[in-house]
Amino acid sequence: MTTAPTRTLIVGSGAREHALAWKLAGEPGVDEVVVAPGSAAIGFEPRVRCLPGVDPLDPAAVVSAARSVAAELVVIGPEAPLAAGVVDALIGAGFHVFGPTQGAARIESSKAFCHDVAAAAGVRMARARAFEAGDEAAARAYVAELGAEGRGVVLKQDGLAAGKGVTVYGDIGLALDHLPSYLAAGRGPGPVLVVEERLVGQESSVIAICDGREAVALPASRDHKRLCDGDLGPNTGGMGAYSPLPDLADDQVEAIIATVHRPILAELARRGSPFIGFLYAGLMLTDEGPVLLECNARLGDPEAQVILPRLAGALGPVLAAAAAHRLEDAPLTVHPGATVGIVLASEGYPGTPTRGLPIDGLEAAAAAGALVFHGGSIGRPGGGFGTSGGRVLTVVGRGMDLAAARDGAERAANRISWAGMQRRHDIAAVLPPEPAIAAGVTS
Ligand code: AMP
Ligand code: GLY
């Protein structure tokens, strides 16, 4: 059995990294968790220290941070450092790393690459085609072809876009109007736009801990991507999440690991880019079974904030085992209860958020028994915290079931406020019926 790393370095500074630091620092055998750059709020956690000067996108700076703290394990939180080659540099410097190399992280950083790998692996995704900047006529024709089937279309920017480069269209005319701006915004060479058929169903996030070959499922969760109640408004990075899912039983999650994650791992390994890290499958649970919408090369945000509190046993040894290609050595245990997370966001998000406003009610929320993970806050000179970004906080309630967890999250979130704060009031409020799909094969 692999033991807990005594000193882990986490790269990142958001609410997902706050949840990771909270989880790992609370585990037996851990001396210290260091977060680079982290934030004032993350540094408030017991046994957590932050290195605020470190640029997470600079591979050399992250390597030197790992050296300075003699990290036994490095865990990468967000996608941008992965795409910047931070993992490759750390491995080159001899560190144990839980996170994919730049080559393996392309599964997220290029939607066209993800479609290509999934097709080769026999994993079903939405029908789609990728287009280069000069392909406007062909792209228009494909949008029209999907539209003629009465399906609706989805336009996706090819590169990383923090969940905001995707628009779902029921109105084909509008999609055609917007198409030139998608093509113009893309950065070539290569595909800049993916056009997909629109799928209908419930979404779910199935994330696995992967060691290059083997995959172990984390509890399934569901993110609420739209800004406003009732799933209205623009797509965001995620406005709230919950776990478990009433419509995705554990055996269905295992079927997804077997038919989505493991084939993708095998294909990436075959291409010389074995994937070590959190492999996130965003799925649409359709009438015909689960269909892969996207892969991410990391934990979701806000999914991590509801998944990590559900882990009953230690996570550090499992991540260390995966980094050493020995996942079978470390079991993962899960609490039977439920978690619900509500994101509190700044005015203007997902556009340009307002910043610098004092946050009220944090202590009252914690006193109500909720976990509060900070994504976009800064410490204020006189004490307390102010806003510094779009998605500022995730307030997580825990309970024996989703109703109890939701109640806890709502009560705590109701105590927090600042000028212009935006949030949803229906996270986990309308749950899908229990077995919505047949246990699924996706290919
Ligand atoms: P992605 O970044 O690819 O996950 O897309 C962001 C969001 O857009 C997803 O979480 C879905 O809500 C929606 N979406 C993406 N692809 C599709 C699709 N083919 N059909 C319907 N909705 C989609
Ligand atoms: N919540 C969706 C994501 O992290 O991509």
Side-chain angles (χ1 to χ4, degrees):
M1 152 86 72
T2 309
T3 51
T6 54
R7 192 177 300 271
T8 298
L9 174 68
I10 297 172
V11 176
S13 60
R16 163 184 47 209
E17 290 76 38
H18 190 175
L20 265 173
W22 165 82
K23 172 68 184 154
L24 293 176
E27 298 186 342
V30 173
D31 287 344
E32 187 178 47
V33 170
V34 182
V35 189
S39 68
I42 295 175
F44 249 65
E45 293 293 337
R47 290 191 282 177
V48 177
R49 177 162 63 98
C50 295
L51 301 176
V54 178
D55 177 357
L57 301 183
D58 177 350
V62 176
V63 167
S64 103
R67 282 207 184 99
S68 76
V69 301
E72 267 180 49
L73 176 71
V74 185
V75 180
I76 315 292
E79 58 275 26
L82 302 171
V86 164
V87 171
D88 308 64
L90 285 164
I91 291 172
F95 288 97
H96 284 102
V97 189
F98 185 77
T101 59
Q102 193 175 42
R106 281 186 74 208
I107 199 76
E108 170 168 10
S109 62
S110 167
K111 291 183 187 293
F113 179 74
C114 180
H115 271 279
D116 192 50
V117 169
V123 174
R124 180 166 162 207
M125 293 189 77
R127 258 194 311 144
R129 279 181 56 191
F131 298 95
E132 299 190 6
D135 289 343
E136 182 168 342
R140 295 186 87 81
Y142 191 58
V143 168
E145 178 188 325
L146 292 176
E149 294 171 18
R151 286 244 178 202
V153 298
V154 185
L155 301 187
K156 299 186 173 186
Q157 203 175 299
D158 187 61
L160 295 178
K164 291 176 260 174
V166 174
T167 313
V168 180
Y169 296 92
D171 176 346
I172 296 297
L174 199 58
L176 289 170
D177 286 350
H178 289 180
L179 198 132
S181 65
Y182 265 87
L183 289 169
R187 265 173 291 151
V192 297
L193 166 71
V194 173
V195 177
E196 280 185 14
E197 69 174 323
R198 178 189 187 175
L199 298 173
V200 178
Q202 293 285 338
E203 285 188 63
S204 68
S205 307
V206 177
I207 305 174
I209 295 174
C210 302
D211 71 355
R213 182 177 46 87
E214 192 41 71
V216 171
L218 289 165
S221 61
R222 176 164 293 135
D223 180 13
H224 292 60
K225 292 249 168 58
R226 301 297 192 102
L227 181 68
C228 306
D229 285 357
D231 285 334
L232 300 172
N235 263 330
T236 69
M239 294 300 292
Y242 62 94
S243 176
L245 304 184
D247 53 335
L248 200 63
D250 289 350
D251 61 334
Q252 293 173 304
V253 172
E254 285 307 322
I256 287 168
I257 298 290
T259 56
V260 176
H261 295 74
R262 290 198 187 106
I264 286 177
L265 289 179
E267 178 60 19
L268 286 172
R270 196 187 66 74
R271 294 180 184 214
S273 295
F275 186 103
I276 295 172
F278 295 109
L279 180 59
Y280 168 134
L283 300 142
M284 188 71 88
L285 307 183
T286 73
D287 289 344
E288 290 138 34
V291 181
L292 181 65
L293 287 182
E294 63 159 348
C295 281
N296 292 326
R298 52 172 174 85
L299 281 172
D301 180 346
E303 288 93 328
Q305 294 91 298
V306 295
I307 291 170
L308 296 174
R310 291 204 59 220
L311 299 182
L315 177 65
V318 185
L319 302 186
H325 314 277
R326 293 211 320 266
L327 198 43
E328 65 279 2
D329 289 357
L332 197 64
T333 50
V334 175
H335 285 300
T339 47
V340 172
I342 300 172
V343 170
L344 309 184
S346 293
E347 186 172 10
Y349 179 77
T352 308
T354 57
R355 292 168 204 266
L357 298 165
I359 303 171
D360 291 323
L362 283 169
E363 281 170 16
L371 298 166
V372 181
F373 297 119
H374 290 236
S377 78
I378 43 164
R380 287 173 70 80
F385 292 92
T387 62
S388 71
R391 291 189 295 162
V392 177
L393 305 170
T394 311
V395 180
V396 179
R398 293 173 283 187
M400 284 312 292
D401 55 23
L402 283 166
R406 176 168 193 277
D407 195 49
E410 281 288 332
R411 265 188 290 118
N414 286 342
R415 302 196 177 179
I416 299 178
S417 63
W418 66 86
M421 186 186 93
Q422 306 188 79
R423 59 167 280 203
R424 285 182 61 160
H425 293 83
D426 63 350
I427 305 299
V430 185
L431 298 174
E434 249 167 64
I437 58 161
V441 175
T442 56
S443 52

